[in-house]
mmCIF file of all heavy atoms in Angstrom:
data_model
loop_
_atom_site.group_PDB
_atom_site.id
_atom_site.type_symbol
_atom_site.label_atom_id
_atom_site.label_comp_id
_atom_site.label_asym_id
_atom_site.label_seq_id
_atom_site.Cartn_x
_atom_site.Cartn_y
_atom_site.Cartn_z
ATOM 1 N N GLU A 177 68.985 7.068 25.397
ATOM 2 C CA GLU A 177 68.812 5.703 25.900
ATOM 3 C C GLU A 177 68.015 4.868 24.904
ATOM 4 O O GLU A 177 68.355 3.716 24.630
ATOM 5 C CB GLU A 177 68.113 5.720 27.260
ATOM 6 C CG GLU A 177 68.977 6.238 28.386
ATOM 7 C CD GLU A 177 68.199 6.458 29.670
ATOM 8 O OE1 GLU A 177 67.054 5.960 29.790
ATOM 9 O OE2 GLU A 177 68.730 7.140 30.559
ATOM 10 N N ARG A 178 66.950 5.450 24.350
ATOM 11 C CA ARG A 178 66.140 4.742 23.346
ATOM 12 C C ARG A 178 66.980 4.449 22.110
ATOM 13 O O ARG A 178 66.871 3.389 21.516
ATOM 14 C CB ARG A 178 64.925 5.574 22.930
ATOM 15 C CG ARG A 178 63.916 5.779 23.985
ATOM 16 C CD ARG A 178 63.038 4.570 24.101
ATOM 17 N NE ARG A 178 61.918 4.879 24.946
ATOM 18 C CZ ARG A 178 60.774 4.260 24.896
ATOM 19 N NH1 ARG A 178 60.579 3.303 24.024
ATOM 20 N NH2 ARG A 178 59.819 4.577 25.712
ATOM 21 N N ARG A 179 67.806 5.390 21.712
ATOM 22 C CA ARG A 179 68.648 5.219 20.526
ATOM 23 C C ARG A 179 69.588 4.020 20.699
ATOM 24 O O ARG A 179 69.835 3.282 19.755
ATOM 25 C CB ARG A 179 69.442 6.507 20.281
ATOM 26 C CG ARG A 179 70.261 6.520 19.021
ATOM 27 C CD ARG A 179 71.008 7.857 18.906
ATOM 28 N NE ARG A 179 71.683 7.933 17.657
ATOM 29 C CZ ARG A 179 71.342 8.732 16.651
ATOM 30 N NH1 ARG A 179 70.316 9.535 16.774
ATOM 31 N NH2 ARG A 179 72.017 8.738 15.535
ATOM 32 N N ARG A 180 70.079 3.830 21.909
ATOM 33 C CA ARG A 180 70.940 2.679 22.184
ATOM 34 C C ARG A 180 70.165 1.365 22.104
ATOM 35 O O ARG A 180 70.760 0.298 22.007
ATOM 36 C CB ARG A 180 71.630 2.819 23.537
ATOM 37 C CG ARG A 180 72.766 3.838 23.501
ATOM 38 C CD ARG A 180 73.638 3.762 24.752
ATOM 39 N NE ARG A 180 72.924 3.995 25.990
ATOM 40 C CZ ARG A 180 72.736 5.189 26.552
ATOM 41 N NH1 ARG A 180 73.224 6.274 25.973
ATOM 42 N NH2 ARG A 180 72.087 5.300 27.688
ATOM 43 N N GLY A 181 68.851 1.427 22.129
ATOM 44 C CA GLY A 181 68.017 0.229 22.034
ATOM 45 C C GLY A 181 67.598 -0.105 20.608
ATOM 46 O O GLY A 181 66.751 -0.970 20.397
ATOM 47 N N ARG A 182 68.210 0.552 19.610
ATOM 48 C CA ARG A 182 67.808 0.299 18.222
ATOM 49 C C ARG A 182 68.056 -1.170 17.874
ATOM 50 O O ARG A 182 68.978 -1.790 18.391
ATOM 51 C CB ARG A 182 68.526 1.234 17.263
ATOM 52 C CG ARG A 182 70.020 1.116 17.260
ATOM 53 C CD ARG A 182 70.639 2.312 16.522
ATOM 54 N NE ARG A 182 72.084 2.235 16.503
ATOM 55 C CZ ARG A 182 72.878 2.623 17.482
ATOM 56 N NH1 ARG A 182 72.353 3.143 18.578
ATOM 57 N NH2 ARG A 182 74.176 2.517 17.381
ATOM 58 N N LYS A 183 67.192 -1.705 17.008
ATOM 59 C CA LYS A 183 67.294 -3.126 16.675
ATOM 60 C C LYS A 183 66.450 -3.440 15.443
ATOM 61 O O LYS A 183 65.647 -2.632 15.003
ATOM 62 C CB LYS A 183 66.822 -3.977 17.845
ATOM 63 C CG LYS A 183 65.363 -3.700 18.246
ATOM 64 C CD LYS A 183 64.994 -4.442 19.508
ATOM 65 C CE LYS A 183 63.621 -3.976 20.000
ATOM 66 N NZ LYS A 183 63.284 -4.557 21.282
ATOM 67 N N VAL A 184 66.680 -4.634 14.937
ATOM 68 C CA VAL A 184 65.875 -5.191 13.849
ATOM 69 C C VAL A 184 65.371 -6.535 14.336
ATOM 70 O O VAL A 184 66.135 -7.316 14.917
ATOM 71 C CB VAL A 184 66.704 -5.350 12.553
ATOM 72 C CG1 VAL A 184 65.899 -6.055 11.478
ATOM 73 C CG2 VAL A 184 67.190 -3.995 12.059
ATOM 74 N N GLN A 185 64.083 -6.795 14.121
ATOM 75 C CA GLN A 185 63.486 -8.050 14.556
ATOM 76 C C GLN A 185 62.749 -8.708 13.401
ATOM 77 O O GLN A 185 62.171 -8.019 12.550
ATOM 78 C CB GLN A 185 62.476 -7.819 15.679
ATOM 79 C CG GLN A 185 63.085 -7.385 16.983
ATOM 80 C CD GLN A 185 62.012 -7.163 18.025
ATOM 81 O OE1 GLN A 185 61.155 -6.310 17.862
ATOM 82 N NE2 GLN A 185 62.062 -7.946 19.091
ATOM 83 N N LEU A 186 62.725 -10.022 13.394
ATOM 84 C CA LEU A 186 62.000 -10.800 12.402
ATOM 85 C C LEU A 186 60.883 -11.546 13.108
ATOM 86 O O LEU A 186 61.129 -12.265 14.080
ATOM 87 C CB LEU A 186 62.947 -11.792 11.715
ATOM 88 C CG LEU A 186 62.306 -12.754 10.727
ATOM 89 C CD1 LEU A 186 61.744 -11.986 9.527
ATOM 90 C CD2 LEU A 186 63.313 -13.802 10.278
ATOM 91 N N CYS A 187 59.656 -11.381 12.636
ATOM 92 C CA CYS A 187 58.503 -12.085 13.190
ATOM 93 C C CYS A 187 57.859 -12.894 12.066
ATOM 94 O O CYS A 187 57.381 -12.323 11.073
ATOM 95 C CB CYS A 187 57.494 -11.096 13.767
ATOM 96 S SG CYS A 187 58.139 -10.123 15.130
ATOM 97 N N HIS A 188 57.853 -14.207 12.213
ATOM 98 C CA HIS A 188 57.266 -15.079 11.202
ATOM 99 C C HIS A 188 55.745 -14.989 11.256
ATOM 100 O O HIS A 188 55.158 -15.002 12.340
ATOM 101 C CB HIS A 188 57.742 -16.518 11.392
ATOM 102 C CG HIS A 188 59.212 -16.656 11.129
ATOM 103 N ND1 HIS A 188 59.729 -16.697 9.866
ATOM 104 C CD2 HIS A 188 60.272 -16.710 11.974
ATOM 105 C CE1 HIS A 188 61.038 -16.801 9.919
ATOM 106 N NE2 HIS A 188 61.401 -16.799 11.207
ATOM 107 N N GLU A 189 55.131 -14.884 10.099
ATOM 108 C CA GLU A 189 53.681 -14.782 9.972
ATOM 109 C C GLU A 189 53.150 -16.025 9.250
ATOM 110 O O GLU A 189 53.915 -16.928 8.926
ATOM 111 C CB GLU A 189 53.315 -13.508 9.186
ATOM 112 C CG GLU A 189 53.923 -12.225 9.724
ATOM 113 C CD GLU A 189 53.284 -11.705 10.987
ATOM 114 O OE1 GLU A 189 52.171 -12.158 11.331
ATOM 115 O OE2 GLU A 189 53.891 -10.845 11.639
ATOM 116 N N ASP A 190 51.872 -16.037 8.946
ATOM 117 C CA ASP A 190 51.246 -17.159 8.246
ATOM 118 C C ASP A 190 51.447 -17.066 6.736
ATOM 119 O O ASP A 190 51.778 -16.002 6.201
ATOM 120 C CB ASP A 190 49.735 -17.182 8.547
ATOM 121 C CG ASP A 190 49.450 -17.454 10.020
ATOM 122 O OD1 ASP A 190 50.244 -18.165 10.656
ATOM 123 O OD2 ASP A 190 48.428 -16.950 10.523
ATOM 124 N N GLU A 191 51.177 -18.167 6.075
ATOM 125 C CA GLU A 191 51.203 -18.272 4.616
ATOM 126 C C GLU A 191 52.490 -17.755 3.977
ATOM 127 O O GLU A 191 52.464 -17.026 2.979
ATOM 128 C CB GLU A 191 49.982 -17.559 3.986
ATOM 129 C CG GLU A 191 48.678 -18.314 4.126
ATOM 130 C CD GLU A 191 47.948 -17.967 5.421
ATOM 131 O OE1 GLU A 191 48.060 -16.822 5.900
ATOM 132 O OE2 GLU A 191 47.273 -18.866 5.961
ATOM 133 N N GLY A 192 53.614 -18.133 4.535
ATOM 134 C CA GLY A 192 54.897 -17.812 3.920
ATOM 135 C C GLY A 192 55.328 -16.357 4.010
ATOM 136 O O GLY A 192 56.191 -15.918 3.266
ATOM 137 N N MET A 193 54.772 -15.602 4.925
ATOM 138 C CA MET A 193 55.118 -14.190 5.073
ATOM 139 C C MET A 193 55.804 -13.963 6.419
ATOM 140 O O MET A 193 55.743 -14.795 7.315
ATOM 141 C CB MET A 193 53.861 -13.306 4.965
ATOM 142 C CG MET A 193 53.153 -13.376 3.615
ATOM 143 S SD MET A 193 54.180 -12.850 2.232
ATOM 144 C CE MET A 193 54.211 -11.083 2.489
ATOM 145 N N ALA A 194 56.462 -12.838 6.538
ATOM 146 C CA ALA A 194 57.117 -12.445 7.785
ATOM 147 C C ALA A 194 57.100 -10.924 7.857
ATOM 148 O O ALA A 194 56.979 -10.238 6.843
ATOM 149 C CB ALA A 194 58.546 -12.965 7.834
ATOM 150 N N THR A 195 57.225 -10.423 9.049
ATOM 151 C CA THR A 195 57.307 -8.985 9.264
ATOM 152 C C THR A 195 58.706 -8.663 9.774
ATOM 153 O O THR A 195 59.213 -9.331 10.674
ATOM 154 C CB THR A 195 56.263 -8.511 10.290
ATOM 155 O OG1 THR A 195 54.964 -8.879 9.823
ATOM 156 C CG2 THR A 195 56.325 -7.014 10.498
ATOM 157 N N LEU A 196 59.313 -7.657 9.185
ATOM 158 C CA LEU A 196 60.638 -7.205 9.597
ATOM 159 C C LEU A 196 60.459 -5.843 10.253
ATOM 160 O O LEU A 196 59.978 -4.901 9.631
ATOM 161 C CB LEU A 196 61.553 -7.088 8.372
ATOM 162 C CG LEU A 196 63.005 -6.716 8.616
ATOM 163 C CD1 LEU A 196 63.708 -7.822 9.403
ATOM 164 C CD2 LEU A 196 63.707 -6.499 7.285
ATOM 165 N N TYR A 197 60.796 -5.759 11.526
ATOM 166 C CA TYR A 197 60.683 -4.507 12.263
ATOM 167 C C TYR A 197 62.063 -3.894 12.427
ATOM 168 O O TYR A 197 63.007 -4.579 12.786
ATOM 169 C CB TYR A 197 60.116 -4.744 13.673
ATOM 170 C CG TYR A 197 58.690 -5.188 13.711
ATOM 171 C CD1 TYR A 197 58.371 -6.530 13.839
ATOM 172 C CD2 TYR A 197 57.655 -4.264 13.632
ATOM 173 C CE1 TYR A 197 57.054 -6.953 13.886
ATOM 174 C CE2 TYR A 197 56.341 -4.663 13.684
ATOM 175 C CZ TYR A 197 56.035 -6.008 13.812
ATOM 176 O OH TYR A 197 54.733 -6.421 13.858
ATOM 177 N N ALA A 198 62.153 -2.611 12.194
ATOM 178 C CA ALA A 198 63.393 -1.886 12.442
ATOM 179 C C ALA A 198 63.060 -0.755 13.409
ATOM 180 O O ALA A 198 62.284 0.142 13.080
ATOM 181 C CB ALA A 198 63.973 -1.343 11.143
ATOM 182 N N TYR A 199 63.603 -0.817 14.607
ATOM 183 C CA TYR A 199 63.416 0.212 15.624
ATOM 184 C C TYR A 199 64.611 1.139 15.511
ATOM 185 O O TYR A 199 65.720 0.800 15.927
ATOM 186 C CB TYR A 199 63.341 -0.461 16.996
ATOM 187 C CG TYR A 199 63.034 0.463 18.136
ATOM 188 C CD1 TYR A 199 61.798 1.095 18.240
ATOM 189 C CD2 TYR A 199 63.975 0.675 19.130
ATOM 190 C CE1 TYR A 199 61.517 1.924 19.302
ATOM 191 C CE2 TYR A 199 63.699 1.499 20.202
ATOM 192 C CZ TYR A 199 62.464 2.121 20.282
ATOM 193 O OH TYR A 199 62.187 2.942 21.348
ATOM 194 N N LEU A 200 64.398 2.288 14.874
ATOM 195 C CA LEU A 200 65.485 3.186 14.493
ATOM 196 C C LEU A 200 65.225 4.597 14.988
ATOM 197 O O LEU A 200 64.079 4.975 15.237
ATOM 198 C CB LEU A 200 65.595 3.236 12.956
ATOM 199 C CG LEU A 200 65.841 1.918 12.236
ATOM 200 C CD1 LEU A 200 65.635 2.085 10.742
ATOM 201 C CD2 LEU A 200 67.247 1.447 12.523
ATOM 202 N N PRO A 201 66.274 5.426 15.059
ATOM 203 C CA PRO A 201 66.048 6.846 15.332
ATOM 204 C C PRO A 201 65.111 7.436 14.272
ATOM 205 O O PRO A 201 65.189 7.067 13.085
ATOM 206 C CB PRO A 201 67.449 7.446 15.243
ATOM 207 C CG PRO A 201 68.361 6.301 15.583
ATOM 208 C CD PRO A 201 67.701 5.089 14.988
ATOM 209 N N ALA A 202 64.237 8.318 14.697
ATOM 210 C CA ALA A 202 63.181 8.836 13.824
ATOM 211 C C ALA A 202 63.721 9.461 12.543
ATOM 212 O O ALA A 202 63.154 9.256 11.462
ATOM 213 C CB ALA A 202 62.329 9.851 14.589
ATOM 214 N N GLY A 203 64.804 10.209 12.619
ATOM 215 C CA GLY A 203 65.352 10.846 11.418
ATOM 216 C C GLY A 203 65.833 9.829 10.395
ATOM 217 O O GLY A 203 65.637 10.004 9.184
ATOM 218 N N ILE A 204 66.454 8.756 10.855
ATOM 219 C CA ILE A 204 66.931 7.712 9.951
ATOM 220 C C ILE A 204 65.753 6.962 9.354
ATOM 221 O O ILE A 204 65.702 6.706 8.143
ATOM 222 C CB ILE A 204 67.891 6.753 10.684
ATOM 223 C CG1 ILE A 204 69.178 7.497 11.048
ATOM 224 C CG2 ILE A 204 68.196 5.511 9.844
ATOM 225 C CD1 ILE A 204 70.091 6.725 11.972
ATOM 226 N N ALA A 205 64.780 6.594 10.185
ATOM 227 C CA ALA A 205 63.605 5.878 9.687
ATOM 228 C C ALA A 205 62.853 6.717 8.649
ATOM 229 O O ALA A 205 62.439 6.197 7.608
ATOM 230 C CB ALA A 205 62.682 5.511 10.848
ATOM 231 N N ALA A 206 62.690 8.007 8.913
ATOM 232 C CA ALA A 206 61.997 8.878 7.957
ATOM 233 C C ALA A 206 62.765 8.983 6.644
ATOM 234 O O ALA A 206 62.178 8.991 5.559
ATOM 235 C CB ALA A 206 61.796 10.268 8.563
ATOM 236 N N THR A 207 64.088 9.034 6.711
ATOM 237 C CA THR A 207 64.906 9.105 5.502
ATOM 238 C C THR A 207 64.779 7.822 4.690
ATOM 239 O O THR A 207 64.632 7.865 3.464
ATOM 240 C CB THR A 207 66.380 9.367 5.867
ATOM 241 O OG1 THR A 207 66.467 10.601 6.564
ATOM 242 C CG2 THR A 207 67.261 9.423 4.629
ATOM 243 N N ILE A 208 64.823 6.666 5.348
ATOM 244 C CA ILE A 208 64.680 5.386 4.653
ATOM 245 C C ILE A 208 63.312 5.314 3.986
ATOM 246 O O ILE A 208 63.192 4.969 2.805
ATOM 247 C CB ILE A 208 64.889 4.206 5.622
ATOM 248 C CG1 ILE A 208 66.353 4.137 6.066
ATOM 249 C CG2 ILE A 208 64.435 2.882 4.990
ATOM 250 C CD1 ILE A 208 66.599 3.178 7.234
ATOM 251 N N TYR A 209 62.268 5.631 4.733
ATOM 252 C CA TYR A 209 60.918 5.544 4.179
ATOM 253 C C TYR A 209 60.744 6.490 2.994
ATOM 254 O O TYR A 209 60.179 6.126 1.964
ATOM 255 C CB TYR A 209 59.857 5.834 5.243
ATOM 256 C CG TYR A 209 58.472 5.687 4.668
ATOM 257 C CD1 TYR A 209 57.873 4.433 4.582
ATOM 258 C CD2 TYR A 209 57.783 6.790 4.160
ATOM 259 C CE1 TYR A 209 56.616 4.287 4.023
ATOM 260 C CE2 TYR A 209 56.541 6.644 3.587
ATOM 261 C CZ TYR A 209 55.948 5.394 3.524
ATOM 262 O OH TYR A 209 54.712 5.258 2.944
ATOM 263 N N THR A 210 61.251 7.700 3.124
ATOM 264 C CA THR A 210 61.118 8.678 2.043
ATOM 265 C C THR A 210 61.834 8.203 0.791
ATOM 266 O O THR A 210 61.316 8.345 -0.318
ATOM 267 C CB THR A 210 61.659 10.048 2.490
ATOM 268 O OG1 THR A 210 60.920 10.476 3.641
ATOM 269 C CG2 THR A 210 61.520 11.086 1.397
ATOM 270 N N ARG A 211 62.999 7.631 0.958
ATOM 271 C CA ARG A 211 63.743 7.117 -0.205
ATOM 272 C C ARG A 211 62.980 5.989 -0.878
ATOM 273 O O ARG A 211 62.816 5.963 -2.096
ATOM 274 C CB ARG A 211 65.122 6.636 0.231
ATOM 275 C CG ARG A 211 65.949 6.120 -0.933
ATOM 276 C CD ARG A 211 67.310 5.669 -0.479
ATOM 277 N NE ARG A 211 68.152 5.336 -1.614
ATOM 278 C CZ ARG A 211 69.305 4.719 -1.518
ATOM 279 N NH1 ARG A 211 69.771 4.406 -0.336
ATOM 280 N NH2 ARG A 211 70.003 4.429 -2.582
ATOM 281 N N VAL A 212 62.503 5.026 -0.097
ATOM 282 C CA VAL A 212 61.742 3.900 -0.638
ATOM 283 C C VAL A 212 60.482 4.406 -1.338
ATOM 284 O O VAL A 212 60.155 3.983 -2.450
ATOM 285 C CB VAL A 212 61.398 2.890 0.485
ATOM 286 C CG1 VAL A 212 60.342 1.891 0.047
ATOM 287 C CG2 VAL A 212 62.661 2.179 0.958
ATOM 288 N N ASP A 213 59.782 5.321 -0.700
ATOM 289 C CA ASP A 213 58.546 5.869 -1.261
ATOM 290 C C ASP A 213 58.805 6.619 -2.564
ATOM 291 O O ASP A 213 58.047 6.473 -3.534
ATOM 292 C CB ASP A 213 57.876 6.788 -0.239
ATOM 293 C CG ASP A 213 56.553 7.322 -0.735
ATOM 294 O OD1 ASP A 213 55.632 6.505 -0.952
ATOM 295 O OD2 ASP A 213 56.439 8.557 -0.906
ATOM 296 N N ARG A 214 59.881 7.407 -2.603
ATOM 297 C CA ARG A 214 60.203 8.182 -3.807
ATOM 298 C C ARG A 214 60.461 7.248 -4.996
ATOM 299 O O ARG A 214 59.940 7.458 -6.083
ATOM 300 C CB ARG A 214 61.410 9.085 -3.562
ATOM 301 C CG ARG A 214 61.781 9.904 -4.791
ATOM 302 C CD ARG A 214 62.945 10.843 -4.539
ATOM 303 N NE ARG A 214 62.488 11.942 -3.716
ATOM 304 C CZ ARG A 214 63.014 12.284 -2.541
ATOM 305 N NH1 ARG A 214 64.046 11.640 -2.063
ATOM 306 N NH2 ARG A 214 62.542 13.290 -1.849
ATOM 307 N N VAL A 215 61.242 6.199 -4.787
ATOM 308 C CA VAL A 215 61.544 5.252 -5.866
ATOM 309 C C VAL A 215 60.271 4.522 -6.289
ATOM 310 O O VAL A 215 60.000 4.357 -7.480
ATOM 311 C CB VAL A 215 62.650 4.257 -5.441
ATOM 312 C CG1 VAL A 215 62.836 3.173 -6.491
ATOM 313 C CG2 VAL A 215 63.956 5.000 -5.185
ATOM 314 N N ALA A 216 59.471 4.087 -5.318
ATOM 315 C CA ALA A 216 58.227 3.373 -5.631
ATOM 316 C C ALA A 216 57.273 4.257 -6.431
ATOM 317 O O ALA A 216 56.674 3.806 -7.411
ATOM 318 C CB ALA A 216 57.565 2.897 -4.334
ATOM 319 N N ARG A 217 57.139 5.508 -6.045
ATOM 320 C CA ARG A 217 56.242 6.420 -6.777
ATOM 321 C C ARG A 217 56.749 6.676 -8.201
ATOM 322 O O ARG A 217 55.959 6.797 -9.130
ATOM 323 C CB ARG A 217 56.070 7.723 -6.017
ATOM 324 C CG ARG A 217 55.218 7.579 -4.776
ATOM 325 C CD ARG A 217 55.062 8.879 -4.011
ATOM 326 N NE ARG A 217 54.327 8.656 -2.799
ATOM 327 C CZ ARG A 217 52.998 8.593 -2.707
ATOM 328 N NH1 ARG A 217 52.254 8.722 -3.788
ATOM 329 N NH2 ARG A 217 52.413 8.379 -1.552
ATOM 330 N N ARG A 218 58.059 6.762 -8.344
ATOM 331 C CA ARG A 218 58.619 6.954 -9.687
ATOM 332 C C ARG A 218 58.302 5.738 -10.563
ATOM 333 O O ARG A 218 57.896 5.876 -11.716
ATOM 334 C CB ARG A 218 60.121 7.213 -9.621
ATOM 335 C CG ARG A 218 60.701 7.608 -10.975
ATOM 336 C CD ARG A 218 62.147 8.075 -10.926
ATOM 337 N NE ARG A 218 63.021 7.079 -10.341
ATOM 338 C CZ ARG A 218 63.775 7.263 -9.264
ATOM 339 N NH1 ARG A 218 63.779 8.423 -8.644
ATOM 340 N NH2 ARG A 218 64.537 6.307 -8.794
ATOM 341 N N LEU A 219 58.450 4.543 -10.016
ATOM 342 C CA LEU A 219 58.118 3.327 -10.757
ATOM 343 C C LEU A 219 56.631 3.288 -11.111
ATOM 344 O O LEU A 219 56.254 2.917 -12.217
ATOM 345 C CB LEU A 219 58.502 2.084 -9.950
ATOM 346 C CG LEU A 219 59.992 1.813 -9.783
ATOM 347 C CD1 LEU A 219 60.213 0.701 -8.760
ATOM 348 C CD2 LEU A 219 60.621 1.462 -11.116
ATOM 349 N N ARG A 220 55.811 3.679 -10.162
ATOM 350 C CA ARG A 220 54.347 3.683 -10.378
ATOM 351 C C ARG A 220 53.978 4.648 -11.495
ATOM 352 O O ARG A 220 53.112 4.353 -12.325
ATOM 353 C CB ARG A 220 53.643 4.059 -9.082
ATOM 354 C CG ARG A 220 52.157 3.978 -9.141
ATOM 355 C CD ARG A 220 51.704 2.552 -8.931
ATOM 356 N NE ARG A 220 50.253 2.565 -8.805
ATOM 357 C CZ ARG A 220 49.471 1.716 -9.422
ATOM 358 N NH1 ARG A 220 49.958 0.769 -10.171
ATOM 359 N NH2 ARG A 220 48.184 1.791 -9.270
ATOM 360 N N SER A 221 54.637 5.799 -11.538
ATOM 361 C CA SER A 221 54.322 6.797 -12.570
ATOM 362 C C SER A 221 54.753 6.347 -13.959
ATOM 363 O O SER A 221 54.303 6.903 -14.953
ATOM 364 C CB SER A 221 54.970 8.142 -12.224
ATOM 365 O OG SER A 221 56.367 8.074 -12.416
ATOM 366 N N ARG A 222 55.612 5.341 -14.021
ATOM 367 C CA ARG A 222 56.073 4.810 -15.312
ATOM 368 C C ARG A 222 55.207 3.646 -15.790
ATOM 369 O O ARG A 222 55.617 2.876 -16.647
ATOM 370 C CB ARG A 222 57.529 4.365 -15.210
ATOM 371 C CG ARG A 222 58.480 5.520 -14.975
ATOM 372 C CD ARG A 222 59.898 5.014 -14.879
ATOM 373 N NE ARG A 222 60.784 6.119 -14.581
ATOM 374 C CZ ARG A 222 62.025 5.973 -14.147
ATOM 375 N NH1 ARG A 222 62.533 4.763 -13.984
ATOM 376 N NH2 ARG A 222 62.769 7.028 -13.900
ATOM 377 N N GLY A 223 54.035 3.494 -15.195
ATOM 378 C CA GLY A 223 53.106 2.475 -15.661
ATOM 379 C C GLY A 223 53.194 1.142 -14.946
ATOM 380 O O GLY A 223 52.570 0.172 -15.363
#
């Protein structure tokens, strides 16, 4: 039932910023985060 409630929301913040929320199944969210983190860490290690 929760999985059927998956969604993406945009919340406008101050000073030209916004928050993007993605309510996703845990396995998918963990995979996305791990991929983003892996690429970011590789970039960081390159100076």
Side-chain angles (χ1 to χ4, degrees):
E177 289 171 15
R178 293 280 191 155
R179 185 180 186 110
R180 285 192 301 271
R182 61 193 180 277
K183 60 187 171 186
V184 174
Q185 291 179 298
L186 175 65
C187 298
H188 294 282
E189 307 285 345
D190 295 329
E191 285 89 32
M193 297 299 287
T195 302
L196 184 65
Y197 292 98
Y199 185 67
L200 302 168
I204 293 170
T207 300
I208 291 169
Y209 182 83
T210 301
R211 181 179 187 191
V212 166
D213 183 64
R214 180 178 287 123
V215 173
R217 288 179 184 278
R218 188 171 57 239
L219 290 170
R220 185 82 172 135
S221 72
R222 294 180 183 164

